[in-house]
Amino acid sequence: MLEVYFQKAKLNEVIEQLIRLLRVYAPVLKGAYHEFAQIKTASDADLGFQNTRLSPKGLFHPHLERMFEFSLAKGDPQASILREVPKDYSPSVILGIRPCDARAFQVDDVNFDTSVVKDPWWVERRKSMTLVGLACNEPCSTCFCTTVGTGPFDTNGLDAVLVDVGDGYVVRAVTERGEELVLKLGLKDLVPDEAAKKAEEQKVSAEQSLGRLFDTEAIAKRDSAELFNAGFWEEVQFACINCGTCTFLCPTCWCFDIQDEVSGEQGERVRLWDSCMFPLFTLHGSGHNPRSQKLQRVRQRFMHKLKYYQDKYHQGVACVGCGRCVTQCPVNIDIRSVAQLMSASCIC
Amino acid sequence: MNRGAAVYANSPGDLFMEEFEVNNPYLPYPVRIDSVVTETEDRNLKTFKLVFLNPEDEAKFSYMPGQFAELSIAGLGEIPIGIATSPTEKGFIQFTVNKVGKVTTHLHNMQAGEIMGVRGPMGNWYPWDLLEGKNVVIIGGGFAFTTLRSSIIYMLDPANRPKFGDISVVYGARSPGLLLYKDELAAWEARDDIHMHITVDGTNDPNWKYNVGFVPAVTKQKAPSSENAYAIICGPPIMIKFTLPVLTELGFPPDRIISSLEMRMKCGIGICGRCNIGTEYVCKDGPVFTLEKLAQLPNEY
């Protein structure tokens, strides 16, 4: 695949060119944190970021999705009949997404895009977006991507990747779509030997800095019922306050609620992110709740990510090791420790 | 894994699933309420007969007994409800709804002629391919008799009746006034190709001519044979809990005891994430499970 190089001094020019071609989402510093947002000018983007506080999942699965609209007006022959809300699927690019976050979309694809059921909004946005990643030269202390089958230079979820080599960027196309974009940008400079060497060294050093913290295969092999009934859940759930921060930030947490909102005679059906941490998530109309206890909800989150997902889809865990839940949990629950408990061959 | 899906594949429902590829699976078909019947003396259960506004939608809504649908009321939301009609009944679909929360309470106040929506059909169904050539024992309690009504109508259809052996039904409610579909129950009682065992927990009615007793006790007393038979059981958890040992005693193995589960649902198509039991989504991989399958899943339902 195509591999080119450009000087850092040329970055803004490249981004401006991108903006002329496509709608561009990039990391933008807002307050104390970065987040992915649409940029109108190159100077809005800040590639000198570690990672965004919120994952970019909202670009495909927005926090609030307007699904349908309807009228409730008396006498309106179309009253109470739901209509699709028009969507804008203009071709877009996400610039600077981290490899783990891009890989997360593939983890979620098996949920939204199956052979029998397709979520139209997810599928259309996935089609419309080109993912240009930024390799991680210096992973955080809370990152564990290599343990869960991805990595700081993993290109599996990407169309193209940028590697920051100090004075410039090495650009590698990964897919046809990525290659097409690189060609459209008019980037032609060959990668200098030094830059190629540096990129490779950075990859090795970034991967070595991460290590392997637990064994996902061991969790796959464990008996599900035995794990479900394990004694350690009591300890794991003790401090949890069911705030839902972990699920909100997580790039692979896709659960949602559907609600109707009415204003006057007009209404909308919307979907909103929901969380398995909340008791209402599973409360039956009868009052029965299969996960009424905090322990059951905490266990569900970890079992879903690390065990059920593996058992159902046979393609690894539903975690990409971004570490957001680790850094943002107000009571310091650490998925790495939980995974270690789950993967231990003996839990006595 | 996904045994339910594997066992019940290659059935007509697959056709509707393919429809999902072109249609927005969250968009309800518009329907008109054709009639509303109050089923029980406590007025908590009503049956809604719905007719599709667009006739082509009825063809897309191709279902099998045991499946459910999301009933949609614009401005209030959706509720997952078992389909009470059988695919052999054409031109309409029916749902019997218990008044429980916001959507169902509103629905109970709706009248014939009003417009609402239906999304589906959803989930798997009773394993009709496996049930062919077998005796079928149906055990129901309370208002969990809706998809069982669908099943009975389906099996009694002249085109289908020869495919099944003996059909036995144990159906119980707390009192005679709480039984669903009373006219149909009486008509089935009069037939000789279905063995009906209607029962109530208790009654003061001197004219009550059927059984008195809880469903597990009546099942034990009537002792339907497990020979070449499958049992389908739906009802309140307490009824199921005490009936399962009776079925085991009668010789039904776990893979021949079939049940249907309820769960809080939103999407109904296995995407929104809330109705799982372990690896299985009740809305998509269920709601129909064998006791054998349930035994492999976490006890969280």
Side-chain angles (χ1 to χ4, degrees):
Chain A
M1 277 282 170
L2 186 64
E3 207 170 293
V4 294
Y5 176 83
F6 66 85
Q7 294 270 327
K8 272 203 176 153
K10 241 185 106 182
L11 177 63
N12 278 5
E13 199 183 306
V14 171
I15 297 176
E16 289 297 348
Q17 173 69 359
L18 259 186
I19 294 171
R20 279 192 288 277
L21 291 169
L22 300 158
R23 190 157 58 184
V24 180
Y25 297 93
V28 172
L29 184 62
K30 289 198 178 170
Y33 300 95
H34 285 86
E35 68 177 67
F36 278 93
Q38 189 181 349
I39 56 165
K40 300 284 188 192
T41 163
S43 56
D44 289 346
D46 180 7
L47 291 186
F49 75 127
Q50 181 71 262
N51 203 354
T52 52
R53 182 168 55 157
L54 271 174
S55 90
K57 72 179 169 189
L59 298 177
F60 296 95
H61 178 27
H63 182 205
L64 184 152
E65 177 92 74
R66 298 173 61 233
M67 305 170 77
F68 305 110
E69 53 194 10
F70 49 85
S71 155
L72 295 173
K74 292 227 167 15
D76 181 346
Q78 293 300 307
S80 291
I81 298 178
L82 275 60
R83 300 179 301 270
E84 293 198 54
V85 175
K87 298 286 175 184
D88 180 359
Y89 300 121
S90 306
S92 306
V93 61
I94 307 179
L95 177 68
I97 188 172
R98 293 298 185 181
C100 58
D101 287 339
R103 171 77 190 108
F105 299 137
Q106 291 181 321
V107 167
D108 294 3
D109 278 340
V110 296
N111 187 60
F112 287 101
D113 186 359
T114 75
S115 58
V116 287
V117 182
K118 295 193 187 296
D119 184 283
W121 303 294
W122 176 274
V123 169
E124 288 305 319
R125 291 197 184 101
R126 285 287 273 153
K127 274 192 225 159
S128 73
M129 298 238 199
T130 305
L131 271 53
V132 178
L134 179 63
C136 284
N137 289 337
E138 289 171 355
C140 311
S141 63
T142 47
C143 290
F144 56 102
C145 48
T146 49
T147 301
V148 288
T150 170
F153 280 64
D154 182 15
T155 55
N156 275 311
L158 295 169
D159 295 300
V161 68
L162 303 178
V163 184
D164 182 340
V165 287
D167 298 337
Y169 290 97
V170 174
V171 187
R172 266 187 214 130
V174 180
T175 63
E176 299 280 336
R177 179 149 70 169
E179 184 159 296
E180 202 180 311
L181 182 63
V182 174
L183 289 171
K184 270 192 198 157
L185 286 171
L187 297 172
K188 291 191 182 98
D189 293 354
L190 292 177
V191 183
D193 287 348
E194 256 171 67
K197 190 166 162 254
K198 183 133 194 237
E200 186 53 32
E201 280 167 8
Q202 285 173 171
K203 177 174 185 286
V204 171
S205 112
E207 282 169 356
Q208 278 176 351
S209 76
L210 285 155
R212 194 168 151 85
L213 303 180
F214 54 89
D215 181 4
T216 57
E217 288 283 321
I219 300 175
K221 283 179 193 142
R222 289 284 299 275
D223 178 64
S224 198
E226 188 194 329
L227 266 181
F228 186 84
N229 294 312
F232 60 71
W233 295 117
E234 187 59 48
E235 194 188 332
V236 169
Q237 62 95 35
F238 180 75
C240 178
I241 55 173
N242 272 174
C243 66
T245 299
C246 49
T247 58
F248 199 80
L249 301 170
C250 177
T252 67
C253 274
W254 61 62
C255 292
F256 60 83
D257 190 15
I258 299 176
Q259 292 286 335
D260 284 14
E261 296 287 343
V262 176
S263 170
E265 291 182 322
Q266 300 301 312
E268 290 182 344
R269 182 159 291 169
V270 298
R271 75 170 172 196
L272 304 131
W273 291 353
D274 205 347
S275 171
C276 57
M277 291 294 105
F278 304 151
L280 195 62
F281 190 62
T282 49
L283 179 66
H284 292 203
S286 65
H288 172 65
N289 192 343
R291 292 199 281 266
S292 62
Q293 304 298 311
K294 184 174 71 167
L295 182 147
Q296 296 167 319
R297 298 192 290 274
V298 171
R299 174 174 59 193
Q300 161 65 20
R301 172 170 155 78
F302 291 112
M303 285 291 277
H304 183 215
K305 294 223 166 293
L306 304 172
K307 179 62 177 165
Y308 301 151
Y309 184 92
Q310 291 209 77
D311 286 354
K312 196 170 183 73
Y313 302 111
H314 308 287
Q315 54 165 37
V317 293
C319 172
V320 292
C322 71
R324 287 184 178 90
C325 60
V326 180
T327 55
Q328 302 293 328
C329 176
V331 297
N332 294 327
I333 293 175
D334 190 328
I335 192 171
R336 298 169 297 181
S337 322
V338 179
Q340 279 163 1
L341 289 170
M342 290 174 75
S343 61
S345 56
C346 174
I347 49 158
C348 40
Chain B
M1 303 315 292
N2 261 330
R3 189 161 175 273
V7 168
Y8 309 132
N10 305 320
S11 300
D14 283 356
L15 298 172
F16 98 83
M17 284 301 220
E18 277 163 25
E19 292 288 340
F20 275 5
E21 289 188 22
V22 282
N23 293 338
N24 185 323
Y26 301 98
L27 183 64
Y29 300 123
V31 293
R32 180 174 46 78
I33 301 176
D34 188 66
S35 67
V36 183
V37 172
T38 303
E39 293 282 351
T40 52
E41 64 185 9
D42 66 359
R43 306 183 65 79
N44 253 332
L45 284 140
K46 289 186 178 180
T47 296
F48 298 84
K49 183 175 178 181
L50 308 176
V51 176
F52 290 92
L53 287 192
N54 308 314
E56 64 272 21
D57 290 345
E58 187 183 349
K60 289 182 204 161
F61 193 94
S62 156
Y63 65 98
M64 291 296 280
Q67 288 194 281
F68 69 97
E70 289 276 356
L71 303 187
S72 159
I73 299 175
L76 284 145
E78 296 184 312
I79 43 168
I81 305 286
I83 305 169
T85 32
S86 153
T88 53
E89 298 172 285
K90 303 292 181 193
F92 62 95
I93 47 176
Q94 252 169 229
F95 297 86
T96 302
V97 180
N98 190 26
K99 190 165 75 177
V100 172
K102 190 176 75 169
V103 179
T104 54
T105 301
H106 184 92
L107 182 58
H108 267 239
N109 290 327
M110 288 177 79
Q111 311 289 330
E114 290 192 65
I115 302 299
M116 52 181 284
V118 170
R119 197 155 65 80
M122 288 158 175
N124 64 358
W125 46 91
Y126 300 122
W128 296 109
D129 48 349
L130 294 178
L131 294 174
E132 275 196 26
K134 302 292 192 299
N135 301 321
V136 180
V137 178
I138 286 187
I139 300 172
F143 51 81
F145 197 63
T146 59
T147 60
L148 298 182
R149 178 207 177 264
S150 169
S151 303
I152 293 168
I153 298 279
Y154 177 77
M155 288 189 290
L156 292 181
D157 185 80
N160 292 331
R161 188 61 192 90
K163 295 180 197 165
F164 303 97
D166 284 348
I167 302 172
S168 309
V169 177
V170 179
Y171 174 39
R174 272 177 289 145
S175 65
L178 293 180
L179 288 163
L180 299 179
Y181 318 128
K182 294 176 195 68
D183 294 345
E184 287 173 326
L185 293 178
W188 297 336
E189 277 282 355
R191 295 178 66 133
D192 59 6
D193 59 351
I194 178 167
H195 309 295
M196 295 296 295
H197 307 294
I198 300 168
T199 184
V200 290
D201 295 355
T203 178
N204 300 321
D205 181 357
N207 297 320
W208 178 250
K209 49 188 177 183
Y210 307 116
N211 302 282
V212 175
F214 295 122
V215 166
V218 173
T219 306
K220 187 167 182 163
Q221 184 200 338
K222 304 297 177 186
S225 167
S226 59
E227 186 70 35
N228 194 36
Y230 277 78
I232 303 177
I233 178 167
C234 289
I238 190 79
M239 182 204 93
I240 292 180
K241 182 180 171 187
F242 287 106
T243 308
L244 288 178
V246 176
L247 290 174
T248 304
E249 214 175 289
L250 290 168
F252 286 91
D255 64 332
R256 291 197 173 202
I257 300 175
I258 298 153
S259 195
S260 180
L261 299 184
E262 291 194 315
M263 209 49 100
R264 184 188 179 97
M265 293 174 187
K266 288 286 178 172
C267 74
I269 49 178
I271 297 184
C272 82
R274 77 196 58 239
C275 71
N276 75 301
I277 303 173
T279 54
E280 306 301 288
Y281 289 113
V282 172
C283 72
K284 182 169 135 250
D285 306 316
V288 175
F289 294 96
T290 62
L291 198 60
E292 182 187 38
K293 176 70 188 175
L294 284 179
Q296 297 162 6
L297 298 175
N299 185 17
E300 196 173 70
Y301 46 90

